[in-house]
């Protein structure tokens, strides 16, 4: 998955109503070498998007498909290594990638639709 595989600004991801609050959901665009995977996290009305890749082992965060949040829904968890990340900025606060960040993806909500935003 490469940065140039990021969908262009304006690409619709989903309806905002499809993401619980709190909640998280994954999305994929393209296939093969151009496949781009991200997940949306919504909490306290705020929406954030990150590339679905752990900075430690370059693998998907959701070892159990669709599971991105801790049981108390206050942090993002890597299903492979149990690394914990802050929802608000993707900073790893516990685990093998301590101090590293998830790669953020800019998003915006227009007329109830979540879209890729310009960087």
């Amino acid at each position: 998955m490469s940065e140039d595989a990021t969908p262009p600004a304006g690409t619709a991801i989903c309806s905002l109503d499809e993401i619980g609050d709190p909640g998280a959901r994954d999305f994929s665009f393209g296939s093969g070498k151009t496949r781009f995977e991200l997940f949306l996290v919504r909490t306290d009305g705020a929406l954030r998007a990150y590339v679905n890749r752990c900075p430690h082992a370059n693998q998907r965060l959701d070892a159990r498909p669709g599971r991105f949040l801790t049981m108390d829904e206050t942090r993002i968890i890597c299903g492979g290594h149990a690394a914990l990340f802050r929802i608000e900025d993707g900073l790893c606060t516990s685990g093998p990638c301590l101090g590293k960040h998830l790669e953020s993806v800019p998003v915006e909500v227009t007329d109830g639709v979540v879209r890729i935003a310009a960087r």
Side-chain angles (χ1 to χ4, degrees):
M1 186 168 40
S2 64
E3 188 171 314
D4 59 355
T6 305
T11 300
I13 300 172
C14 69
S15 166
L16 181 60
D17 294 340
E18 294 178 50
I19 309 297
D21 188 354
R25 185 169 167 205
D26 63 317
F27 298 89
S28 296
F29 298 88
S31 62
K33 291 182 180 181
T34 62
R35 184 175 181 89
F36 184 81
E37 298 175 339
L38 65 84
F39 67 100
L40 297 174
V41 179
R42 187 176 180 193
T43 185
D44 296 326
L47 182 70
R48 292 167 183 84
Y50 296 102
V51 173
N52 188 0
R53 184 176 57 234
C54 179
H56 168 245
N58 201 30
Q59 67 184 36
R60 289 177 60 96
L61 287 162
D62 58 334
R64 291 178 50 203
R67 302 283 296 191
F68 294 96
L69 299 178
T70 56
M71 294 294 286
D72 64 3
E73 298 180 316
T74 61
R75 292 173 285 176
I76 298 166
I77 186 167
C78 174
H81 303 97
L84 298 174
F85 301 86
R86 293 191 308 214
I87 292 173
E88 61 270 17
D89 60 6
L91 176 69
C92 181
T93 59
S94 174
C97 48
L98 185 64
K100 294 184 179 180
H101 284 84
L102 298 174
E103 183 180 345
S104 66
V105 178
V107 293
E108 60 189 3
V109 179
T110 308
D111 297 324
V113 176
V114 180
R115 298 180 182 279
I116 302 289
R119 286 203 181 257

